[in-house]
Amino acid sequence: MANKPDLMTEKDFTPETIAEHGSFSRQEKLDRLNEIKFDLERQTSRGTTDLEQVEQRMASLNIAISRVKREGADGGDGAAIGRTPNA
């Protein structure tokens, strides 16, 4: 019997792994990243997290969101700005 690979749970995904994930659509990536951002903002308003950790996590989220937004609608880099990567 073959060993099953360890599957990541929703809480195991970092902003970077979401942005690089091959089977999520661009919109799914943005939705997931925005959901994480909303949860972080909610935790911050309740005062349940350390400010330094929040700043690091928010920076990571913003970088991942920017990376996903640069992806083309079809998942290819460069198409979002009207040029192909090899043009």
Side-chain angles (χ1 to χ4, degrees):
M1 182 174 187
N3 290 337
K4 291 183 179 180
D6 291 332
L7 299 176
M8 295 176 73
T9 64
E10 289 291 319
K11 298 212 181 274
D12 293 333
F13 283 110
T14 64
E16 295 81 14
T17 57
I18 292 172
E20 296 171 2
H21 204 278
S23 63
F24 293 151
S25 71
R26 182 175 181 251
Q27 189 60 49
E28 286 173 320
K29 291 177 186 180
L30 290 173
D31 290 344
R32 288 171 184 262
L33 291 168
N34 285 320
E35 185 177 312
I36 293 171
K37 192 172 184 178
F38 176 76
D39 286 341
L40 184 61
E41 290 169 350
R42 187 170 41 88
Q43 290 173 6
T44 303
S45 67
R46 288 188 293 173
T48 58
T49 56
D50 178 41
L51 183 59
E52 187 174 325
Q53 290 176 346
V54 169
E55 289 174 345
Q56 291 174 354
R57 183 85 165 157
M58 193 60 76
S60 177
L61 279 164
N62 288 332
I63 290 168
I65 290 170
S66 294
R67 185 178 303 148
V68 172
K69 284 183 177 181
R70 283 193 309 263
E71 290 180 0
D74 63 349
D77 290 335
I81 58 173
R83 297 175 42 189
T84 59
N86 296 330

